[in-house]
Amino acid sequence: MAEGEEVKNKQVLFRNYIDGFPKESDMYISTENTIRLKLPQGSNGVLVKNLVLSCDPFMRLLMQKNDESGLFGCYTPDSPITGYGVAKILDSGNPKFQKGDLVWGMTGFEEYSIITETESLYKIEHTDVPLSYYTGILGMPGITACAGFYEVSTPKKGETVFVSAASGGVGQLVGQLAKLMGCYVVGSAGSKEKVDLLKNKFGFDDAFNYKEEHDLTAALKRYFPEGIDIYFENVGGKMLDAAILNMRKHGRIALSGMISQYNLAEPEGVKNLMPLIYKRITMKGFSPLDYLTRYSKFMDILLPFIREGKIVYVEDVAEGLEKTPAALVGLFSGRNIGKQVIVVSRE
Amino acid sequence: MAEGEEVKNKQVLFRNYIDGFPKESDMYISTENTIRLKLPQGSNGVLVKNLVLSCDPFMRLLMQKNDESGLFGCYTPDSPITGYGVAKILDSGNPKFQKGDLVWGMTGFEEYSIITETESLYKIEHTDVPLSYYTGILGMPGITACAGFYEVSTPKKGETVFVSAASGGVGQLVGQLAKLMGCYVVGSAGSKEKVDLLKNKFGFDDAFNYKEEHDLTAALKRYFPEGIDIYFENVGGKMLDAAILNMRKHGRIALSGMISQYNLAEPEGVKNLMPLIYKRITMKGFSPLDYLTRYSKFMDILLPFIREGKIVYVEDVAEGLEKTPAALVGLFSGRNIGKQVIVVSRE
């Protein structure tokens, strides 16, 4: 298409602020927008064609009126939802980016976006790996896993590691990093298929389906008779209560996410905090946004592992922007197997 | 009295394992025991005369059948309760201690004790300060305050510090250490008298009576409009929930104790754990027992402050072993003003 041409721009628009579980109807697809494929005169942003978009649990927090997290702004009704994605620069008003560059970062859920906050865009240097990886293992989930495991959890060879939501975009990577360090690793997930994936594909020492356990404390005791050194927390609520009771002295809990709590009007109370004292446990909340300066160091760890086949990364790929509402909502029922991505364009 | 003489040995005996709040009748005073004031042949322990005994919240945990904390053993029915105290060596089978030495450490609530676990006894070197201080500011509560503030909380000048149970044996010291470092310090306590003490005697910037606040979150917001950098946690439950909501980004919560929870059949659920992630908060349980090697360093900090009058330490002194049941039980209704001690003998 010709430069500067006005084209249709399909979008995933946000309906309105929600409480509770998100529904597909909280978003809608619009084909009414058009966009000129050239930046307005004087813009120092970039115009991109979105290639792959990422569905992540934190997006639920942007669908309520007040984003308690304060990490990003909340969505605006009848505007496109936003999230992480991989895109190609079509036009740039910023000397850091050239037409044709591939980038990853925050973008809109639409075919084309104008991104003005370019400081959170990263140029993609290595294209011998799937581009979609830059929404996962080589993007924010990868930073989350590396920061949360290597920096927050201070792991040592031989330690025991428990990962919840272990087949998700972050969990599957944490488990594999822990195995590569020589830890004993058990994961929890919500289906037999995911449990099989953890054991057979990702090489976890063991795994269990939390939906089939009446007593999570007893389940963890079964898998960790000597206790847990590191709990990589992705779910919160009852699992956290059970994990604390199974922690060893001087254990570390890396708080990465609490997906079980995001849709509740009031979060569940966690009762077993006293053992944090007796057991001298450190529970540390963290955000990958604080570790962006370590990105290239983390890439130096991950890229060789990927190329040598020492780490695999499973994605749940939906084709087409139209699949976004179902894919995003599906995160909260655990429908996805692996990291949920949306392929917008394969060009 | 003559060496080796058999004397009466008044004791505070434990009645039986409890649930819920301790009552005075869970202990009883006995004058039936006698003790020979000489160690049995071949003993490598010490025989001591107890001078000052310390009532501490952790003792409640030893009154239940299973000491979840695992820090000390549970009490034995019809045996003396145990705790920290200051004592004088009457006879020693251990070359580390000589007759006449003053020591502090774990002992029995009785007039005379034979202590076999002498590795947890510390010789008292400085007697220009009140001996009772070695159950408080110069004993385990002092180690707790120094370790929890200097090491766990990693404070910086100008930071904001909230201390709960702030007039207690640990809290009053934490607040003063924080002030000496140049922090802004607010404490909570359970009476007007204690609040006055915090403001007028210990030099806290402000203080409030938590019993008069319907909404602890709003109360903390009032005292910390810009948020809390460090929360020194002594109470747990609702106060922790409120404090988390008022923490600043990268805040630290030092978990020292949770006195509000010790007597509950089931601990209260703490709901506001998600903000630990958004705010990148570190919540760290610790035990003074892990910092015993730092004792002399902490003394080097505290002794000059005491001698120069830069730190004051308020004790609630009960005279006589017979006062133990009321004094110990009183900790849980907040009856004590300052560190609760029992003077057994002034010799």
Side-chain angles (χ1 to χ4, degrees), chain A residues 203-229:
Chain A
F204 282 54
D205 292 289
D206 220 325
F208 65 93
N209 179 351
Y210 72 90
K211 292 181 180 167
E212 288 184 348
E213 301 288 344
H214 299 291
D215 180 342
L216 293 171
T217 305
L220 287 171
K221 180 84 188 159
R222 221 162 56 225
Y223 292 101
F224 295 97
E226 308 292 321
I228 301 167
D229 291 306

Side-chain angles (χ1 to χ4, degrees), chain A residues 61 69 71 250 257-258 262 266-267 269-271 273-274 276-278 280-287 290, chain B residues 61 69 71 250 257-258 262 266-267 269-271 273-274 276-278 280-287 290:
Chain A
L61 302 172
S69 78
L71 298 176
H250 302 288
M258 295 194 177
Y262 296 166
E266 189 169 18
V270 171
K271 294 177 192 285
L273 297 182
M274 274 201 289
L276 296 180
I277 303 179
Y278 314 142
R280 295 86 149 167
I281 290 169
T282 300
M283 188 153 91
K284 190 170 168 57
F286 72 99
S287 163
D290 293 342
Chain B
L61 302 173
S69 78
L71 298 177
H250 302 289
M258 295 195 177
Y262 295 166
E266 189 168 17
V270 171
K271 293 176 191 286
L273 297 182
M274 274 201 289
L276 296 179
I277 304 178
Y278 313 144
R280 293 88 147 168
I281 290 169
T282 300
M283 188 152 93
K284 192 169 166 58
F286 72 98
S287 163
D290 293 342

Side-chain angles (χ1 to χ4, degrees), chain B residues 72-308:
Chain B
F72 306 102
C74 290
Y75 294 150
T76 305
D78 302 313
S79 287
I81 64 170
T82 54
Y84 284 98
V86 170
K88 186 175 198 170
I89 305 275
L90 299 186
D91 190 12
S92 174
N94 184 316
K96 262 176 67 193
F97 302 102
Q98 309 303 323
K99 183 173 170 178
D101 282 351
L102 291 166
V103 294
W104 72 268
M106 282 295 271
T107 187
F109 274 57
E110 53 194 345
E111 290 176 288
Y112 303 95
S113 298
I114 290 174
I115 302 174
T116 51
E117 296 187 14
T118 50
E119 54 291 352
S120 61
L121 279 187
Y122 293 82
K123 212 183 284 192
I124 291 176
E125 313 281 0
H126 307 278
T127 53
D128 60 324
V129 292
L131 275 187
S132 57
Y133 277 17
Y134 290 91
T135 69
I137 183 169
L138 299 176
M140 208 48 79
I143 300 174
T144 304
C146 287
F149 184 63
Y150 292 125
E151 316 250 332
V152 177
S153 305
T154 59
K156 287 187 282 294
K157 185 179 171 181
E159 287 194 315
T160 62
V161 177
F162 173 52
V163 186
S164 55
S167 68
V170 172
Q172 58 174 292
L173 182 51
V174 171
Q176 293 179 83
L177 294 176
K179 279 309 299 172
L180 285 165
M181 179 166 273
C183 297
Y184 170 82
V185 186
V186 177
S188 65
S191 73
K192 183 180 180 308
E193 190 177 356
K194 292 179 185 179
V195 167
D196 288 345
L197 202 61
L198 292 174
K199 291 200 279 195
N200 302 325
K201 181 124 189 157
F202 301 132
F204 283 54
D205 292 288
D206 221 325
F208 65 93
N209 179 351
Y210 72 90
K211 291 180 181 167
E212 287 185 348
E213 300 289 345
H214 299 291
D215 180 342
L216 292 171
T217 306
L220 287 171
K221 180 84 188 159
R222 218 162 61 226
Y223 292 101
F224 295 96
E226 308 292 322
I228 301 167
D229 291 307
I230 293 170
Y231 174 35
F232 197 100
E233 167 66 298
N234 290 311
V235 303
K238 292 181 182 65
M239 191 65 95
L240 179 55
D241 247 335
I244 294 173
L245 291 181
N246 281 282
M247 295 299 288
R248 295 174 79 166
K249 262 191 194 173
H250 302 289
R252 285 85 68 201
I253 301 176
L255 299 178
S256 171
M258 295 195 177
I259 194 172
S260 76
Q261 306 295 298
Y262 295 166
N263 301 309
L264 305 180
E266 189 168 17
E268 289 177 276
V270 171
K271 293 176 191 286
N272 300 322
L273 297 182
M274 274 201 289
L276 296 179
I277 304 178
Y278 313 144
K279 298 184 184 178
R280 293 88 147 168
I281 290 169
T282 300
M283 188 152 93
K284 192 169 166 58
F286 72 98
S287 163
L289 300 178
D290 293 342
Y291 295 89
L292 295 174
T293 55
R294 316 279 280 157
Y295 179 60
S296 70
K297 183 182 170 276
F298 295 153
M299 288 308 100
D300 290 345
I301 297 172
L302 294 175
L303 278 164
F305 281 153
I306 294 170
R307 289 173 180 143
E308 294 161 20

Side-chain angles (χ1 to χ4, degrees), chain A residues 71 84 140-141 143-145 147 256 286-293, chain B residues 280:
Chain A
L71 298 176
Y84 284 97
M140 208 49 79
I143 300 173
T144 304
S256 172
F286 72 99
S287 163
L289 299 177
D290 293 342
Y291 295 88
L292 296 174
T293 55
Chain B
R280 293 88 147 168

Side-chain angles (χ1 to χ4, degrees), chain A residues 251-267:
Chain A
R252 287 83 70 200
I253 301 176
L255 299 178
S256 172
M258 295 194 177
I259 194 173
S260 76
Q261 306 295 298
Y262 296 166
N263 301 309
L264 305 180
E266 189 169 18

